[in-house]
Amino acid sequence: LDAKCSGTQYLAFIAGNMEMAQATGLVDNESKARDPYQLSLVQLMKLLEKSSMNPTQEIKDAFLNPKAGRNFIKTPYMAVQYGGGKNALLGNKDFCQYVSQQLAIVPEKLEAFAGLCVEAVHTALGEKINKFIEKTQEAVIKKCEKLGKAYFTYRHTDGQVVLKPCF
């Protein structure tokens, strides 16, 4: 493991997802594979094209291009990869601000847009990784119930403290 999307490397290894293993560089690939963020962005763009929230081409070119869009999708990607969902995104001030200001999504559609982001990441992660995440969530919920707690408080390796449930 080389710490390039290391969480996804672990998930790909555990779940046996070859596409994500290639996307993270965990296994050799003859051609340069898209990384997990790019795969998620591609899925988001497909969903947006079918929705009533499809941004203008000008907005796509400025804020959902391969570079800016990759940076944007990291927040939804990380939330979903670690078991979060719409609530994790809607509770993220920076995500909400970017979506409303740069992507021009009206406040009434923010929740639906967050849902599209979650769906896009789930699609990119694939069935095997999603199943692993789901089973992990179920185990955590059972542990919380056993301990009589609504959630665990924990600290990320970067120092961020998680004080609330996020999925």
Side-chain angles (χ1 to χ4, degrees), residues 10-164:
Y10 284 111
L11 290 171
F13 178 76
I14 291 167
N17 182 316
M18 188 56 72
E19 181 180 20
M20 278 298 168
Q22 290 172 338
T24 62
L26 185 61
V27 295
D28 287 333
N29 188 6
E30 295 296 318
S31 64
K32 182 166 171 42
R34 290 181 171 154
D35 71 23
Y37 305 125
Q38 293 164 331
L39 293 171
S40 298
L41 181 61
V42 167
Q43 294 303 321
L44 178 60
M45 298 306 287
K46 288 178 183 178
L47 292 170
L48 284 172
E49 287 174 12
K50 298 178 195 173
S51 80
S52 63
M53 295 175 279
N54 194 13
T56 65
Q57 191 60 48
E58 182 178 311
I59 289 173
K60 288 179 191 176
D61 291 344
F63 302 110
L64 292 173
N65 63 58
K67 185 176 180 181
R70 183 181 182 280
N71 288 337
F72 163 74
I73 202 71
K74 281 183 181 181
T75 297
Y77 185 87
M78 296 303 285
V80 172
Q81 172 182 268
Y82 292 113
K86 281 194 306 188
N87 290 340
L89 298 178
L90 295 172
N92 183 310
K93 178 184 69 163
D94 294 334
F95 172 84
C96 294
Q97 187 175 35
Y98 189 90
V99 169
S100 35
Q101 291 179 1
Q102 272 65 39
L103 303 183
I105 302 296
V106 295
E108 301 81 49
K109 292 192 175 189
L110 189 59
E111 185 174 349
F113 184 84
L116 287 181
C117 290
V118 169
E119 184 180 344
V121 173
H122 277 299
T123 301
L125 285 172
E127 184 180 343
K128 290 178 180 179
I129 291 176
N130 286 316
K131 189 64 152 176
F132 179 80
I133 291 170
E134 178 186 325
K135 293 299 181 186
T136 302
Q137 287 174 329
E138 290 172 8
V140 168
I141 289 168
K142 285 180 184 177
K143 183 72 171 181
C144 285
E145 288 171 353
K146 183 177 178 181
L147 296 174
K149 294 184 173 190
Y151 56 89
F152 291 102
T153 299
Y154 63 94
R155 182 180 307 272
H156 287 222
T157 57
D158 66 3
Q160 178 182 349
V161 177
V162 178
L163 300 171
K164 61 185 177 188

